[in-house]
Amino acid sequence: MISISAPAICSVPGAHSRRDAFGWYLKPKPKPKPKSLVKPLCCSAEIDYQVLSAINTSYNDILILDTAESRMLLLDSTHNIHSVFIKGQVWTGSYWDEFASLPAIIPEGPIAIFGLGGGTAAHLMLTLWPSLQLHGWEIDEILIDKSREHLGLSDLEKPTEGGGILNVHIGDALSSSSTVPGGYAGIVVDLFSGGEVLPQLQEVQTWLELNGKLMTNGRLMVNCGGSTCGGGIWEKNSTLKTLCKAFPGQVNWKKMPKSDGENYLALTGPLPDLTLWAAALPPRLGSSVVQWDSWRGLGVGVGTVVGEGFGVRRGEIRLNECKCLIVRYRPRKKDLHVTFGHYYRVDLFNATLDKQLYELNSRFNEETIELLSLSSSLSSKEINIDEICLLVEKYYPQDFTDQEKIQLRYQLEIFNIEKSKNINLSGASTISDLCKSLVDTKKRETYYLVDRVIRLILTLPVSTATTERGFSAMKIFKNRLRNKMSDDYLANSLVVYIEKEIAENFDSESIIDDFKNLKGRRAEL
């Protein structure tokens, strides 16, 4: 849940303004309507809002606000945001988005949401996974009615094109009745009261009972709330501590950024392969799942971020299956904690992979790939005439006249027939072999246009490689001491350097003789 200041339910103009996790200030005005939300981090303009519903129930103080961008469900006297509906998009930019990553790492089967609220998580999950069978549990029936009326919850109770649907249940999610035959594949736990995690969730037995509602290999994903006190993570969040006691070595955790509420999230079961998990999700969501970390091994002390909570001195790092923490000293509010496994498998690997893909895409762009694809038709048993004509029309328009382009099609038709009957021509497996066969069989002059196409294609890699080698050689020759050499001298020097294999065949005496024969000299050379 995310804290936000809002007008009191009975008296709408509230007390002092406070900023919420989205960077907004509720700024009541003397007039009852309209109210305004101010977004100081993004712009200075005021955003009008109105109160859609304000009601007290046996379980909650419900307040639903409407702005031009979103609708928000605020609960309790603390005015915590329990649900948000962003108009025109499904992403919320907060912990609700993380819940939508759960279906990628659990078996097929129904998923429960304990603490449905206005259905924010259910809305995103059914958008990304249209075939999901969701079961949302909420104890407050009036809250469900208001969510259906103002937050689009009723739309989720209709089957999607993929057959998915949200089944809403009114009742206690922690009771024995909140089960389905065969168990849930996953359970999302988002249970709060009075701005705090339910006290029942601080008991190990509660988590064991929830785990009993899962099928084999099922998982729990939990919103553990924010920090409750100082010290290490263990002390900061008592819900995480209870989870670790209930499932030793089987709890993974993540802390949301400050802009997203700084909530701690927990995931039971072995830490998934983060790379595969990210690949199964949209890029926006996949980039965030790599921040999950495992609590395995913390009982013996792993590193300094959980630090003093486990009796490990600051700066001490112990290797434990490459899951120890790399501590990077930064300002206290921006401490980073990265495992060795995450660094090598994500940071370093992704950077290397991106660099390689960039180089390949730069070298083999769409035009190059198309050129190579069209050229490969010449080395096949039967030449694709349309592809060769397209090749000439698109990449070599200046090398053929309009009349020659028409004649080329007829030459290719006749060449295809002769190629199938001539063993020397049909035996050519590459374009260079085909060029040699045309010369050996003395068909080069007969099919002169076909020969021209072949030679243009064969010169392509040479011209490309020569250009690349030219730039490399230029760095060697045109250095600081030779910066003023003329273009002709530079070009001649580069030719000799690039074509080393040919230049080695010329000895000094033959070069002197050629220079001598250029014109008469007064002195003998």
Side-chain angles (χ1 to χ4, degrees):
M1 303 181 79
I2 300 175
S3 178
I4 184 171
S5 178
I9 293 178
C10 298
S11 177
V12 174
H16 301 289
S17 299
R18 291 172 56 195
R19 190 176 67 188
D20 76 333
F22 297 93
W24 294 346
Y25 283 94
L26 288 176
K27 187 179 178 182
K29 292 185 177 181
K31 295 182 180 180
K33 291 185 180 181
K35 307 294 180 284
S36 64
L37 287 171
V38 181
K39 202 171 186 179
L41 297 183
C42 300
C43 61
S44 58
E46 293 185 351
I47 304 174
D48 293 336
Y49 78 89
Q50 67 180 110
V51 177
L52 298 180
S53 180
I55 186 172
N56 292 318
T57 71
S58 302
Y59 301 99
N60 296 292
D61 296 337
I62 300 174
L63 180 64
I64 299 179
L65 302 181
D66 179 51
T67 73
E69 297 178 355
S70 65
R71 288 187 176 182
M72 294 176 287
L73 170 65
L74 282 64
L75 297 180
D76 311 317
S77 58
T78 57
H79 299 305
N80 287 318
I81 296 181
H82 194 283
S83 298
V84 62
F85 179 77
I86 309 295
K87 300 176 182 178
Q89 68 175 36
V90 294
W91 301 107
T92 66
S94 190
Y95 70 86
W96 295 287
D97 297 347
E98 298 293 329
F99 291 153
S101 66
L102 181 60
I105 53 173
I106 58 176
E108 291 187 6
I111 298 176
I113 302 176
F114 289 174
L116 178 64
T120 302
H123 186 266
L124 180 55
M125 293 173 78
L126 284 175
T127 301
L128 298 182
W129 314 91
S131 62
L132 286 183
Q133 300 296 313
L134 297 181
H135 293 264
W137 285 82
E138 179 58 53
I139 198 170
D140 194 338
E141 185 174 6
I142 297 177
L143 172 58
I144 292 297
D145 291 338
K146 294 299 180 181
S147 298
R148 286 169 174 158
E149 181 181 356
H150 299 296
L151 299 176
L153 186 64
S154 57
D155 295 335
L156 306 181
E157 298 178 273
K158 302 173 184 177
T160 65
E161 294 182 358
I165 194 171
L166 171 64
N167 302 286
V168 178
H169 304 273
I170 307 297
D172 186 0
L174 300 181
S175 67
S176 58
S177 62
S178 60
T179 57
V180 292
Y184 296 111
I187 299 177
V188 172
V189 181
D190 191 16
L191 296 172
F192 286 77
S193 178
E196 302 291 340
V197 178
L198 287 184
Q200 296 95 314
L201 299 183
Q202 310 306 319
E203 301 174 5
V204 172
Q205 184 59 34
T206 301
W207 291 111
L208 296 179
E209 292 174 358
L210 287 176
N211 191 64
K213 299 179 181 183
L214 295 171
M215 63 174 63
T216 305
N217 296 325
R219 294 176 182 266
L220 301 172
M221 184 175 282
V222 186
N223 176 13
C224 300
S227 302
T228 57
C229 61
I233 294 175
W234 185 280
E235 286 81 10
K236 284 182 177 181
N237 195 283
S238 57
T239 307
L240 275 175
K241 183 177 181 179
T242 306
L243 278 166
C244 288
K245 290 180 179 179
F247 312 109
Q250 294 291 311
V251 177
N252 313 292
W253 69 281
K254 173 182 179 178
K255 184 179 181 182
M256 300 300 294
K258 185 175 182 180
S259 59
D260 296 342
E262 293 189 295
N263 284 29
Y264 287 96
L265 302 183
L267 175 69
T268 62
L271 181 67
D273 186 311
L274 299 181
T275 304
L276 296 179
W277 189 6
L281 301 171
R284 174 167 178 167
L285 195 55
S287 61
S288 68
V289 299
V290 296
Q291 299 169 4
W292 282 91
D293 201 357
S294 175
W295 280 75
R296 186 188 303 275
L298 290 182
V300 295
V302 175
T304 60
V305 175
V306 268
E308 296 124 78
F310 289 89
V312 182
R313 293 175 300 173
R314 188 165 187 80
E316 180 180 358
I317 298 178
R318 301 180 187 177
L319 295 177
N320 182 12
E321 299 179 353
C322 289
K323 293 186 182 291
C324 59
L325 299 178
I326 302 173
V327 178
R328 301 177 180 178
Y329 288 97
R330 298 283 181 89
R332 297 182 68 180
K333 292 184 178 180
K334 296 183 179 180
D335 278 348
L336 298 179
H337 51 281
V338 182
T339 64
F340 282 121
H342 180 279
Y343 173 72
Y344 285 108
R345 294 173 57 188
V346 179
D347 296 344
L348 187 61
F349 177 77
N350 285 348
T352 304
L353 190 62
D354 288 343
K355 184 177 181 181
Q356 293 295 328
L357 289 175
Y358 176 79
E359 293 292 340
L360 289 172
N361 290 332
S362 299
R363 180 68 63 88
F364 302 101
N365 53 33
E366 293 182 1
E367 291 185 355
T368 304
I369 296 296
E370 183 183 23
L371 176 58
L372 295 176
S373 177
L374 295 175
S375 302
S376 63
S377 175
L378 285 171
S379 58
S380 59
K381 292 183 178 180
E382 183 176 354
I383 298 175
N384 189 319
I385 298 175
D386 292 334
E387 288 187 357
I388 300 303
C389 291
L390 176 62
L391 173 70
V392 171
E393 183 70 31
K394 190 170 184 178
Y395 294 99
Y396 302 108
Q398 304 299 325
D399 297 287
F400 295 84
T401 63
D402 293 339
Q403 186 65 29
E404 287 176 335
K405 293 175 184 177
I406 297 174
Q407 293 177 358
L408 175 62
R409 178 176 290 275
Y410 295 117
Q411 280 196 15
L412 287 170
E413 291 176 353
I414 300 173
F415 182 74
N416 259 340
I417 298 174
E418 184 164 350
K419 183 181 178 182
S420 61
K421 298 179 180 180
N422 192 316
I423 300 176
N424 294 327
L425 294 176
S426 61
S429 57
T430 63
I431 298 178
S432 59
D433 291 340
L434 183 60
C435 184
K436 293 178 182 178
S437 299
L438 283 174
V439 176
D440 295 339
T441 57
K442 298 182 180 179
K443 298 292 183 180
R444 175 185 173 186
E445 295 180 357
T446 306
Y447 303 104
Y448 64 96
L449 295 176
V450 178
D451 181 72
R452 187 187 303 175
V453 173
I454 294 173
R455 291 178 183 274
L456 287 171
I457 294 173
L458 290 176
T459 57
L460 175 64
V462 175
S463 60
T464 304
T466 303
T467 303
E468 294 174 352
R469 283 185 290 172
F471 281 106
S472 299
M474 188 181 300
K475 296 179 182 179
I476 298 174
F477 273 91
K478 197 166 185 179
N479 53 31
R480 184 173 60 86
L481 298 177
R482 298 174 176 173
N483 194 38
K484 294 184 179 181
M485 68 169 58
S486 64
D487 293 341
D488 291 340
Y489 181 42
L490 175 62
N492 295 334
S493 300
L494 291 177
V495 169
V496 175
Y497 180 81
I498 294 171
E499 306 296 343
K500 292 179 181 178
E501 296 179 357
I502 299 176
E504 289 175 353
N505 296 327
F506 300 98
D507 56 19
S508 301
E509 295 298 328
S510 62
I511 295 174
I512 293 174
D513 291 339
D514 289 339
F515 182 73
K516 177 182 178 181
N517 295 331
L518 290 177
K519 63 180 181 179
R521 309 285 175 179
R522 294 181 179 180
E524 291 291 330
L525 296 177

